[in-house]
Each structure stands twice: as structure tokens, then as C-alpha cells.
Amino acid sequence: MERGPSSRGSSGQQIVEAIQSFVGRLTIFVRQPNWIFGPFGPEPRAYTKEEIEEFEQKPDVLLQLRKQNEVRINSYFESCIKDSEAQTGIRNYLTQSMREKLQNSELEDLFIPKWAVGCRRPTPGHRYLECLTSDNVSVVHGSIDQIIPSGCISNGIEHDLEVLICATGFDTSYRPRFPLIGFDGVDLQQEWENDPKAYMAIAAPYMPNYFIFYGPNNPFASGPFLASIEAQADYMLKWCDRWQTENIQSFAPKAIAVDELQAHTKEILRTTVWADTCRSWYKAHETDSKNMKMWPGSGLHYIEAISEIRADDWDVTYVGNRFAWLGNGFSRTEVDPTSDRSYYIRNHDDGLYLSREKRRKLLTEKREKREILDF
């Protein structure tokens, strides 16, 4: 049976790995190379029953494993700096690793990129490269020009296929799927059609009371996905708290704040591997760097950047007098029977640090050292 996957991204690689061993013939259509990391960490495996029980009974053991994984992710950004020592090291390592797995000069020229590691989204490819060298696999360099009843045409050559698997990605634009009308009749669907611009990847100018998760310029290529989303949720809830308690009618990021953030972002991104000449959905499937939609830093950098609200970056309107939230003069402490009306009298100062850096250090300082477990 002749199968023909069209893609060499993560989905395409996983499909090839899954079906290569039992199909008769496998033709893989590849348009451009990419750096293939192998597993993003330890070799994938199923945990034993004993290990799972230990995770349940000893939460610190599971915590340590989770932290090891996060530290690995949070140590990646240094290699994203163009021409850095870390970038040179990882490029040399991956070049050697891919050559050892391919052991074929033609495949090496086809699959090992000329641009920096990370310019395109890296892929794990657990057994992908090894599959390419199998006897039942052939590789076609080029796009599929036409699908025909018997298969497809690529580079003017017909390929007879029984099954054509299209794993060519998904819509990675940030454009809303429906009209979204904000202040002054601005439609976000039109505004974000070609060059989406957001505030801290979570809000848009002229769009009142509107938040999104993982919008333009989010740190998906340089940090932990789930932790970044949780930080975004925290930021949104801080605004919701103000909206509920301060008679706020609407809030939206100022256009000038978004423009200045974009200018700073472009300046920083020029120094990164994402500005290299690959074609990537990181930059609207173009090879130049004018439309890069990355965060200008690491994931941890992003989490710190949105840890507090910069209210001066926002346009805020109120329902009536902006100070009506002061109420009738009684504090919340006075009307709460569970409160201590002299809470500020104490033997030592246990209040929050007023310095942002002090608060950051307290939050991120290393806790008591635990044994590093070897998994």
C-alpha cells in the first residue's frame, strides 16, 4: 500500500513514525528542512505502576520531576540569541546528531537547515530520521502541485498513492473568526488580518473589556506554555477585580502603548534566531523578519513583565464619578466583623516588600535543597 504524508512538521513526523513499519511503500513530501531535536528531555516511556504510586504517595517526588522539566524549558532562551555560544553549541550538536541518524549525504542536504536552530519551531521527531532511511520510504523534495485521482503531482512528476495524508499545519493567525467591533467602529477582524498587534499578548487597543489568551507576541517559542497561560489568567483577574470594585465601565490598552511595545519588540527580536531567513508561522509564513510575532524575551521574562498591572498603559472610563467607589466613608475592615481594627500594630513588619525586585526575589528564591532524583 502506497501512503503519502505531506508534511515534515510535528504531526507529519508522528504519522510517519506510527505507520512506517507496516505500510508497503511510504512517500514523504518535504518542502523545506527543519532542526529535529529528538525527545525534549528524557526518552518517552510509560511510568511503572510503582512510580505512579510513588508520585501519589510522595508529592515532592512528582514535584521534583515537574521542576526538572520546567528548568529545562526555562533554560532554552539563551540559545535563541543569534550567534550566542549556546546557539553555536546546540547547532553543532544537532548537526552531528542528525548526520549520525541519516547517514546519507542527499538526505543530510535536504533535512539539515542552513539557518539557525529555533528559527522555525523545533520538532521532537523521536524516530523520524531513522524512518527516512528505511527501505520502504522515499523522500520527495517539493510541494504538492496538484491532487489527482491516482495520487498527486509534485515537481511535474505523478506519484501513485492509495492514501494521501495532509498534515500541513493549521491556522496560526490571530484574526478573530467573526467581526469584533470596538471603540470608533474598529473591527479587530480587519485590524488583525495582516499585522496583528496586541498588548502583552492578551489585549488589543480599541477593544474594551476584551482579553485573549496567547495572542500576538506571546512567548510560545521561549518558555513554558501552561505557566504563561496561568500568568495571563492572573493578570486578567486583577483587572476584573478593579472593574468590580472601582466603578470601572471599560478598559482598553492605549494605542500608543501598543505601538511602543511593538517598536521595542522588533528591536529586540532582530538579535534573535527568529530573524533568520527561514519561512515560519512565527512570522506569518514569510522569510523576512518584519512580521515576527514572538515575545522579545524568555518565558520567565514574560511572566515577570505581566506580574503587575501598568495602569498608565490603559484607557479607563468610569460609571459616573471615578471616586464613587470610596462609598460612605467606612472601610471594608470596619464592616467586616472578622477583621482586626488594629491590624497595623504588630511586633515586626510582615507586610509585602514595596520594591518590585524584592518581591520578585522572595517569590523566586530557591527553597530548601532537595535531593535531585535521577529518572
Side-chain angles (χ1 to χ4, degrees), residues 12-79:
Q13 290 177 19
Q14 292 174 56
I15 292 171
V16 168
E17 293 168 7
I19 69 175
Q20 176 271 321
S21 63
F22 63 81
V23 298
R25 290 292 306 167
L26 187 63
T27 301
I28 302 172
F29 298 89
V30 177
R31 289 177 294 179
Q32 58 181 323
N34 197 15
W35 293 104
I36 298 175
F37 276 41
F40 294 156
E43 287 289 325
R45 66 179 179 85
Y47 290 104
T48 66
K49 178 182 178 181
E50 290 73 22
E51 287 175 315
I52 294 174
E53 289 178 352
E54 185 177 33
F55 291 155
E56 294 175 344
Q57 298 167 8
K58 299 179 180 179
D60 278 353
V61 174
L62 178 58
L63 175 65
Q64 188 64 37
L65 176 60
R66 293 169 57 201
K67 289 178 71 66
Q68 287 176 348
N69 291 334
E70 292 296 297
V71 167
R72 185 181 299 111
I73 295 170
N74 287 323
S75 302
Y76 174 68
F77 179 67
E78 185 179 351
S79 67

Coordinates of all heavy atoms in Angstrom, one line a residue, residues 12-79:
G12 N 3.2 15.5 11.0 CA 3.7 14.6 9.9 C 4.7 13.6 10.4 O 4.7 12.5 10.1
Q13 N 5.6 14.1 11.3 CA 6.7 13.2 11.9 C 6.0 12.1 12.7 O 6.4 10.9 12.6 CB 7.6 14.0 12.7 CG 8.5 14.9 11.9 CD 9.4 15.8 12.8 OE1 9.7 15.4 14.0 NE2 10.0 16.9 12.3
Q14 N 5.1 12.4 13.5 CA 4.4 11.4 14.3 C 3.7 10.4 13.5 O 3.7 9.2 13.8 CB 3.5 12.1 15.3 CG 4.2 12.9 16.4 CD 3.2 13.7 17.2 OE1 2.3 13.1 17.8 NE2 3.4 15.0 17.3
I15 N 3.1 10.9 12.4 CA 2.4 9.9 11.5 C 3.3 9.0 10.8 O 3.1 7.8 10.8 CB 1.6 10.7 10.4 CG1 0.4 11.5 11.1 CG2 1.0 9.8 9.3 CD1 -0.3 12.4 10.2
V16 N 4.5 9.5 10.3 CA 5.5 8.7 9.7 C 6.0 7.6 10.7 O 6.1 6.5 10.4 CB 6.6 9.5 9.2 CG1 7.8 8.7 8.8 CG2 6.2 10.4 8.0
E17 N 6.3 8.1 11.9 CA 6.8 7.1 12.9 C 5.8 6.0 13.2 O 6.1 4.9 13.5 CB 7.1 7.9 14.2 CG 8.3 8.8 14.0 CD 8.4 9.8 15.2 OE1 7.7 9.6 16.2 OE2 9.3 10.7 15.2
A18 N 4.5 6.4 13.2 CA 3.4 5.4 13.5 C 3.2 4.4 12.4 O 2.8 3.2 12.7 CB 2.2 6.2 13.9
I19 N 3.3 4.8 11.2 CA 2.8 3.9 10.1 C 4.0 3.3 9.3 O 3.7 2.3 8.5 CB 1.9 4.6 9.1 CG1 2.6 5.7 8.3 CG2 0.7 5.2 9.9 CD1 1.7 6.4 7.3
Q20 N 5.2 3.8 9.4 CA 6.3 3.3 8.5 C 6.5 1.8 8.6 O 6.8 1.2 7.6 CB 7.6 4.1 8.9 CG 8.8 3.6 8.1 CD 9.5 2.5 8.8 OE1 9.6 2.5 10.0 NE2 10.0 1.5 8.0
S21 N 6.4 1.2 9.7 CA 6.8 -0.2 9.9 C 5.8 -1.1 9.3 O 6.1 -2.3 9.0 CB 6.9 -0.5 11.4 OG 5.7 -0.3 12.1
F22 N 4.5 -0.7 9.0 CA 3.6 -1.7 8.5 C 3.0 -1.4 7.1 O 2.2 -2.1 6.5 CB 2.4 -1.9 9.5 CG 1.6 -0.8 9.8 CD1 0.6 -0.4 8.9 CD2 1.8 0.0 10.9 CE1 -0.2 0.7 9.2 CE2 1.0 1.1 11.2 CZ 0.0 1.4 10.4
V23 N 3.3 -0.2 6.5 CA 2.8 0.1 5.1 C 3.8 -0.5 4.1 O 5.0 -0.7 4.4 CB 2.7 1.6 4.9 CG1 1.6 2.2 5.9 CG2 4.0 2.3 5.0
G24 N 3.3 -0.7 2.9 CA 4.1 -1.3 1.9 C 5.2 -0.3 1.4 O 6.4 -0.6 1.4
R25 N 4.7 0.9 0.9 CA 5.5 2.0 0.5 C 5.1 3.3 1.1 O 3.9 3.5 1.4 CB 5.5 2.1 -1.0 CG 6.1 1.0 -1.8 CD 7.6 1.0 -1.6 NE 8.3 2.2 -1.9 CZ 9.5 2.6 -1.6 NH1 10.3 1.7 -1.0 NH2 10.0 3.7 -2.0
L26 N 6.1 4.1 1.4 CA 5.8 5.4 2.1 C 6.5 6.5 1.4 O 7.8 6.4 1.3 CB 6.2 5.3 3.6 CG 5.8 6.5 4.4 CD1 4.3 6.7 4.5 CD2 6.4 6.3 5.8
T27 N 5.8 7.4 0.8 CA 6.4 8.6 0.1 C 6.2 9.8 0.9 O 5.1 10.1 1.2 CB 5.9 8.8 -1.3 OG1 6.1 7.5 -2.1 CG2 6.5 9.9 -2.0
I28 N 7.3 10.5 1.3 CA 7.2 11.7 2.1 C 7.5 12.9 1.3 O 8.6 13.0 0.7 CB 8.1 11.6 3.3 CG1 7.8 10.3 4.1 CG2 8.0 12.8 4.2 CD1 8.8 10.0 5.2
F29 N 6.6 13.9 1.3 CA 6.8 15.1 0.5 C 7.3 16.2 1.5 O 6.6 16.5 2.5 CB 5.5 15.5 -0.1 CG 5.0 14.5 -1.1 CD1 4.2 13.5 -0.8 CD2 5.4 14.6 -2.5 CE1 3.7 12.6 -1.7 CE2 4.9 13.7 -3.4 CZ 4.1 12.7 -3.0
V30 N 8.5 16.7 1.2 CA 9.1 17.7 2.1 C 9.4 19.0 1.4 O 10.1 18.9 0.3 CB 10.4 17.1 2.7 CG1 11.1 18.2 3.6 CG2 10.1 15.9 3.5
R31 N 8.9 20.1 1.9 CA 9.2 21.4 1.2 C 10.4 22.1 1.7 O 11.1 22.8 0.9 CB 8.0 22.3 1.4 CG 6.7 21.9 0.7 CD 5.6 22.8 1.0 NE 5.1 22.7 2.4 CZ 4.1 23.3 2.9 NH1 3.5 24.2 2.2 NH2 3.8 23.2 4.2
Q32 N 10.8 22.0 3.0 CA 11.9 22.6 3.5 C 12.4 21.9 4.7 O 11.7 21.1 5.3 CB 11.7 24.1 3.8 CG 10.5 24.3 4.8 CD 10.3 25.8 5.1 OE1 11.2 26.6 5.1 NE2 9.0 26.1 5.3
P33 N 13.7 22.1 5.1 CA 14.3 21.4 6.2 C 13.8 21.9 7.6 O 13.1 23.0 7.6 CB 15.8 21.6 6.0 CG 15.9 22.9 5.4 CD 14.7 23.0 4.5
N34 N 14.2 21.2 8.6 CA 14.0 21.8 10.0 C 14.9 21.0 10.9 O 15.3 19.9 10.7 CB 12.5 21.6 10.4 CG 12.2 22.5 11.6 OD1 12.9 23.4 11.9 ND2 11.1 22.2 12.3
W35 N 15.2 21.7 12.0 CA 16.0 21.1 13.0 C 15.2 20.1 13.8 O 14.1 20.5 14.3 CB 16.6 22.1 14.0 CG 17.6 23.0 13.3 CD1 17.5 24.3 12.9 CD2 19.0 22.7 12.9 NE1 18.6 24.8 12.3 CE2 19.6 23.8 12.3 CE3 19.8 21.5 13.1 CZ2 20.9 23.8 11.9 CZ3 21.1 21.5 12.7 CH2 21.6 22.6 12.0
I36 N 15.6 18.9 14.0 CA 14.9 17.8 14.7 C 15.6 17.5 15.9 O 16.7 16.9 15.9 CB 14.6 16.6 13.8 CG1 13.8 17.1 12.5 CG2 13.9 15.5 14.5 CD1 13.6 16.0 11.5
F37 N 15.0 17.8 17.0 CA 15.7 17.7 18.3 C 15.8 16.3 18.9 O 16.7 15.9 19.6 CB 15.0 18.5 19.4 CG 15.3 20.0 19.4 CD1 15.6 20.7 18.2 CD2 15.5 20.7 20.6 CE1 15.9 22.0 18.2 CE2 15.8 22.0 20.6 CZ 16.0 22.7 19.4
G38 N 14.8 15.4 18.5 CA 14.7 14.2 19.3 C 13.8 14.6 20.5 O 13.2 15.7 20.6
P39 N 13.7 13.7 21.5 CA 12.8 14.0 22.6 C 13.2 15.3 23.3 O 14.4 15.6 23.5 CB 13.0 12.8 23.5 CG 13.5 11.7 22.6 CD 14.3 12.4 21.5
F40 N 12.3 16.1 23.7 CA 12.5 17.3 24.5 C 12.7 16.9 26.0 O 12.0 17.3 26.9 CB 11.4 18.3 24.4 CG 11.2 18.8 23.0 CD1 9.9 19.3 22.6 CD2 12.2 18.9 22.1 CE1 9.7 19.9 21.4 CE2 12.0 19.4 20.8 CZ 10.8 19.9 20.5
G41 N 13.8 16.1 26.2 CA 14.0 15.7 27.6 C 14.3 14.2 27.6 O 14.8 13.7 26.6
P42 N 14.0 13.5 28.6 CA 14.3 12.0 28.7 C 13.5 11.3 27.6 O 12.5 11.8 27.1 CB 13.8 11.6 30.1 CG 13.8 12.9 30.9 CD 13.5 14.0 29.9
E43 N 14.0 10.1 27.2 CA 13.3 9.3 26.3 C 11.8 9.0 26.7 O 11.6 8.7 27.9 CB 14.0 7.9 26.1 CG 15.3 8.0 25.3 CD 15.1 8.3 23.8 OE1 14.1 7.8 23.3 OE2 15.9 9.1 23.3
P44 N 10.8 9.2 25.8 CA 9.5 8.9 26.2 C 9.3 7.4 26.7 O 9.8 6.5 26.1 CB 8.7 9.2 24.9 CG 9.6 10.0 24.1 CD 11.0 9.6 24.4
R45 N 8.5 7.3 27.7 CA 8.3 5.9 28.2 C 7.0 5.9 29.1 O 6.6 7.0 29.6 CB 9.5 5.4 29.0 CG 9.7 6.1 30.3 CD 10.9 5.5 31.1 NE 11.2 6.2 32.3 CZ 10.6 6.0 33.4 NH1 9.7 5.1 33.5 NH2 11.0 6.7 34.5
A46 N 6.5 4.8 29.3 CA 5.4 4.7 30.3 C 5.9 4.5 31.7 O 6.9 3.7 31.9 CB 4.5 3.5 29.9
Y47 N 5.4 5.2 32.6 CA 5.8 5.1 34.0 C 5.3 3.8 34.6 O 4.2 3.4 34.3 CB 5.4 6.3 34.9 CG 6.1 7.5 34.5 CD1 5.5 8.6 33.8 CD2 7.4 7.7 34.9 CE1 6.2 9.7 33.5 CE2 8.1 8.9 34.6 CZ 7.5 9.9 33.9 OH 8.1 11.0 33.6
T48 N 6.1 3.1 35.4 CA 5.7 1.9 36.0 C 4.6 2.1 37.1 O 4.4 3.2 37.6 CB 6.9 1.2 36.7 OG1 7.3 2.0 37.8 CG2 8.0 1.0 35.7
K49 N 3.9 1.1 37.4 CA 2.9 1.1 38.5 C 3.5 1.6 39.8 O 2.9 2.5 40.5 CB 2.3 -0.2 38.7 CG 1.2 -0.3 39.8 CD 0.6 -1.7 40.0 CE -0.4 -1.7 41.1 NZ -0.9 -3.1 41.3
E50 N 4.7 1.2 40.1 CA 5.4 1.6 41.3 C 5.7 3.1 41.3 O 5.6 3.8 42.3 CB 6.7 0.8 41.5 CG 6.5 -0.7 41.8 CD 6.0 -1.5 40.6 OE1 6.2 -1.0 39.5 OE2 5.4 -2.6 40.8
E51 N 6.2 3.6 40.1 CA 6.5 5.0 40.0 C 5.2 5.9 40.2 O 5.3 6.9 40.9 CB 7.1 5.3 38.7 CG 8.5 4.8 38.6 CD 9.1 5.0 37.2 OE1 8.4 4.7 36.2 OE2 10.2 5.5 37.0
I52 N 4.1 5.4 39.6 CA 2.9 6.2 39.7 C 2.4 6.2 41.2 O 1.9 7.2 41.7 CB 1.8 5.6 38.8 CG1 2.2 5.8 37.3 CG2 0.5 6.2 39.0 CD1 1.3 5.1 36.3
E53 N 2.5 5.1 41.8 CA 2.1 5.0 43.2 C 3.0 5.9 44.1 O 2.5 6.6 45.0 CB 2.2 3.6 43.8 CG 1.1 2.7 43.2 CD 1.3 1.2 43.7 OE1 2.3 0.9 44.3 OE2 0.4 0.4 43.4
E54 N 4.3 6.0 43.7 CA 5.2 6.9 44.5 C 4.8 8.4 44.3 O 4.9 9.2 45.2 CB 6.6 6.6 44.1 CG 7.6 7.5 44.9 CD 9.1 7.2 44.5 OE1 9.3 6.9 43.3 OE2 9.9 7.2 45.4
F55 N 4.5 8.7 43.0 CA 4.0 10.1 42.7 C 2.8 10.4 43.6 O 2.7 11.6 44.1 CB 3.7 10.2 41.2 CG 4.9 10.1 40.3 CD1 4.7 9.7 39.0 CD2 6.1 10.5 40.8 CE1 5.8 9.7 38.1 CE2 7.2 10.4 39.9 CZ 7.0 10.0 38.6
E56 N 1.9 9.5 43.7 CA 0.7 9.7 44.5 C 0.9 9.8 46.0 O 0.4 10.7 46.7 CB -0.3 8.6 44.3 CG -0.9 8.5 42.8 CD -1.8 7.3 42.6 OE1 -1.7 6.3 43.5 OE2 -2.5 7.2 41.6
Q57 N 1.8 9.0 46.5 CA 2.1 9.0 47.9 C 3.2 10.0 48.4 O 3.2 10.4 49.5 CB 2.5 7.5 48.3 CG 1.5 6.5 48.1 CD 2.0 5.1 48.2 OE1 3.1 4.9 48.6 NE2 1.2 4.1 47.8
K58 N 4.0 10.4 47.4 CA 5.1 11.3 47.8 C 5.1 12.5 46.8 O 5.8 12.5 45.8 CB 6.5 10.6 47.7 CG 6.6 9.5 48.7 CD 8.0 8.8 48.6 CE 8.2 7.7 49.5 NZ 9.5 7.0 49.4
P59 N 4.2 13.5 47.0 CA 4.0 14.6 46.1 C 5.3 15.3 45.8 O 5.5 15.8 44.7 CB 3.1 15.5 46.8 CG 2.3 14.6 47.8 CD 3.3 13.6 48.2
D60 N 6.3 15.3 46.7 CA 7.6 16.0 46.5 C 8.4 15.3 45.4 O 9.2 16.0 44.7 CB 8.4 16.1 47.7 CG 8.0 17.3 48.6 OD1 7.1 18.1 48.1 OD2 8.5 17.4 49.7
V61 N 8.2 14.0 45.2 CA 8.9 13.3 44.2 C 8.4 13.7 42.8 O 9.2 14.0 41.9 CB 8.8 11.8 44.3 CG1 9.4 11.0 43.1 CG2 9.4 11.3 45.6
L62 N 7.1 13.8 42.7 CA 6.5 14.3 41.4 C 6.8 15.8 41.2 O 7.1 16.2 40.1 CB 5.0 14.1 41.5 CG 4.2 14.6 40.2 CD1 4.7 13.9 39.0 CD2 2.7 14.4 40.4
L63 N 6.8 16.5 42.3 CA 7.1 17.9 42.1 C 8.6 18.1 41.6 O 8.8 19.0 40.7 CB 7.0 18.6 43.5 CG 7.5 20.1 43.6 CD1 6.6 21.0 42.7 CD2 7.5 20.6 45.0
Q64 N 9.5 17.3 42.1 CA 10.9 17.4 41.6 C 11.0 17.1 40.1 O 11.7 17.8 39.4 CB 11.8 16.5 42.4 CG 13.3 16.6 42.1 CD 13.8 18.0 42.6 OE1 13.3 18.6 43.6 NE2 14.7 18.6 41.8
L65 N 10.2 16.1 39.7 CA 10.2 15.7 38.2 C 9.7 16.9 37.4 O 10.2 17.3 36.4 CB 9.4 14.5 38.0 CG 9.3 14.0 36.6 CD1 10.6 13.8 35.9 CD2 8.4 12.8 36.5
R66 N 8.6 17.4 37.9 CA 8.0 18.6 37.2 C 8.9 19.7 37.1 O 9.0 20.4 36.1 CB 6.7 19.0 37.9 CG 5.5 17.9 37.8 CD 4.4 18.3 38.7 NE 3.9 19.6 38.4 CZ 3.2 20.4 39.3 NH1 3.0 19.9 40.5 NH2 2.8 21.6 38.9
K67 N 9.6 20.0 38.2 CA 10.5 21.2 38.2 C 11.7 20.9 37.3 O 12.2 21.9 36.6 CB 11.0 21.4 39.7 CG 9.9 22.0 40.5 CD 10.4 22.2 42.0 CE 11.4 23.4 42.1 NZ 10.8 24.7 41.8
Q68 N 12.2 19.7 37.2 CA 13.3 19.4 36.3 C 12.9 19.7 34.8 O 13.6 20.3 34.1 CB 13.7 17.9 36.4 CG 14.5 17.6 37.7 CD 14.8 16.1 37.8 OE1 14.2 15.3 37.1 NE2 15.6 15.8 38.8
N69 N 11.6 19.3 34.5 CA 11.1 19.6 33.2 C 11.0 21.1 32.9 O 11.4 21.5 31.8 CB 9.8 18.9 33.0 CG 9.9 17.4 32.9 OD1 10.9 16.8 32.6 ND2 8.8 16.7 33.3
E70 N 10.5 21.8 33.9 CA 10.4 23.2 33.7 C 11.7 24.0 33.6 O 11.9 24.9 32.8 CB 9.5 23.8 34.8 CG 8.1 23.4 34.8 CD 7.3 23.9 33.6 OE1 7.2 25.1 33.4 OE2 6.9 23.0 32.8
V71 N 12.7 23.5 34.4 CA 14.0 24.1 34.3 C 14.6 23.9 32.9 O 15.3 24.8 32.4 CB 15.0 23.5 35.4 CG1 16.4 23.9 35.1 CG2 14.5 24.0 36.8
R72 N 14.4 22.8 32.4 CA 14.9 22.5 31.0 C 14.3 23.5 30.0 O 15.0 24.1 29.2 CB 14.6 21.1 30.6 CG 15.2 20.6 29.3 CD 14.8 19.2 29.0 NE 15.3 18.3 30.0 CZ 14.5 17.6 30.8 NH1 13.2 17.8 30.8 NH2 15.1 16.8 31.7
I73 N 13.0 23.7 30.1 CA 12.3 24.6 29.2 C 12.8 26.0 29.4 O 13.0 26.8 28.5 CB 10.8 24.5 29.4 CG1 10.2 23.2 29.0 CG2 10.0 25.6 28.6 CD1 8.8 22.9 29.4
N74 N 12.9 26.4 30.7 CA 13.3 27.8 31.0 C 14.8 28.1 30.8 O 15.3 29.2 31.1 CB 12.9 28.1 32.5 CG 11.4 28.3 32.6 OD1 10.8 28.8 31.7 ND2 10.8 27.8 33.7
S75 N 15.5 27.1 30.4 CA 17.0 27.3 30.1 C 17.2 27.4 28.6 O 18.4 27.4 28.1 CB 17.8 26.2 30.6 OG 17.6 26.1 32.0
Y76 N 16.1 27.5 27.8 CA 16.3 27.4 26.3 C 16.6 28.8 25.7 O 17.2 28.8 24.6 CB 15.0 26.8 25.7 CG 14.9 26.8 24.2 CD1 15.7 26.0 23.5 CD2 14.0 27.6 23.6 CE1 15.6 26.0 22.1 CE2 13.9 27.6 22.2 CZ 14.7 26.8 21.4 OH 14.6 26.8 20.1
F77 N 16.1 29.9 26.3 CA 16.1 31.1 25.6 C 17.5 31.6 25.2 O 17.7 32.3 24.2 CB 15.4 32.2 26.4 CG 15.4 33.6 25.8 CD1 14.7 33.8 24.6 CD2 16.2 34.6 26.3 CE1 14.7 35.0 24.0 CE2 16.2 35.9 25.7 CZ 15.5 36.1 24.5
E78 N 18.5 31.3 26.0 CA 19.9 31.7 25.7 C 20.3 31.3 24.3 O 21.0 32.0 23.6 CB 20.9 31.2 26.8 CG 22.3 31.7 26.6 CD 23.2 31.2 27.7 OE1 22.7 30.6 28.6 OE2 24.4 31.4 27.5
S79 N 19.9 30.1 23.9 CA 20.2 29.6 22.6 C 19.5 30.3 21.5 O 19.8 30.1 20.3 CB 20.0 28.1 22.5 OG 18.6 27.8 22.6

